[in-house]
Amino acid sequence: QMQLAESGGGLVQAGASLRLSCAASERPLRAYGMGWFRQAPGKEREFVATIDLSGGSTDYGRSVKGRFTISRDNGKNMLFLEMNSLKPEDTAVYYCAATGRSSGTGYAYEYDYWGQGTQVTVSS
């Protein structure tokens, strides 16, 4: 069973930046495509970003493309999400997830392991 633990969330003003981290344990991160999703109150879970095994290929949700960057450090078993130019509509609980699809994927149902989430709140 893979364990994922997110950190780095918080309360920031619009326009600020945050860096989320996701620490993996029990299984090596390098064996999984990884992704970030988010869920705001009353809304469905939304795809944010995904990255392949090596970190050489990434994809982003339309609402964050150009502002967020996903990256990984397989040697440290860590996944990251750099978030810039944050907007109030980015407010949500952010989750990292691991999938057996080596290329990563934007579909939540294809992920096998999920973290508990970290809250990001952006004030206007």
Side-chain angles (χ1 to χ4, degrees):
Q1 190 81 359
M2 189 179 204
Q3 303 293 326
L4 298 171
E6 303 92 340
S7 61
L11 171 63
V12 297
Q13 290 189 328
S17 298
L18 272 179
R19 189 192 197 204
L20 303 185
S21 299
C22 173
S25 60
E26 306 303 326
R27 294 196 178 185
L29 193 75
R30 64 180 182 274
Y32 295 87
M34 299 295 296
W36 286 98
F37 290 78
R38 68 186 183 185
Q39 189 165 19
K43 295 187 176 182
E44 294 185 353
R45 191 163 294 191
E46 178 188 8
F47 166 66
V48 174
T50 189
I51 189 167
D52 71 347
L53 291 181
S54 67
S57 178
T58 59
D59 193 20
Y60 297 90
R62 189 180 309 174
S63 61
V64 307
K65 192 171 291 186
R67 299 188 297 123
F68 290 12
T69 303
I70 187 172
S71 62
R72 63 193 296 162
D73 185 336
N74 288 338
K76 295 183 178 179
N77 256 18
M78 295 290 294
L79 178 73
F80 304 101
L81 184 69
E82 187 74 35
M83 306 187 295
N84 298 316
S85 303
L86 282 162
K87 304 175 182 180
E89 50 263 45
D90 294 319
T91 295
V93 177
Y94 283 72
Y95 300 89
C96 68
T99 174
R101 293 184 64 88
S102 59
S103 59
T105 174
Y107 297 103
Y109 71 87
E110 294 189 307
Y111 284 83
D112 303 304
Y113 303 105
W114 292 83
Q116 293 298 310
T118 185
Q119 176 71 46
V120 172
T121 303
V122 184
S123 63
S124 57

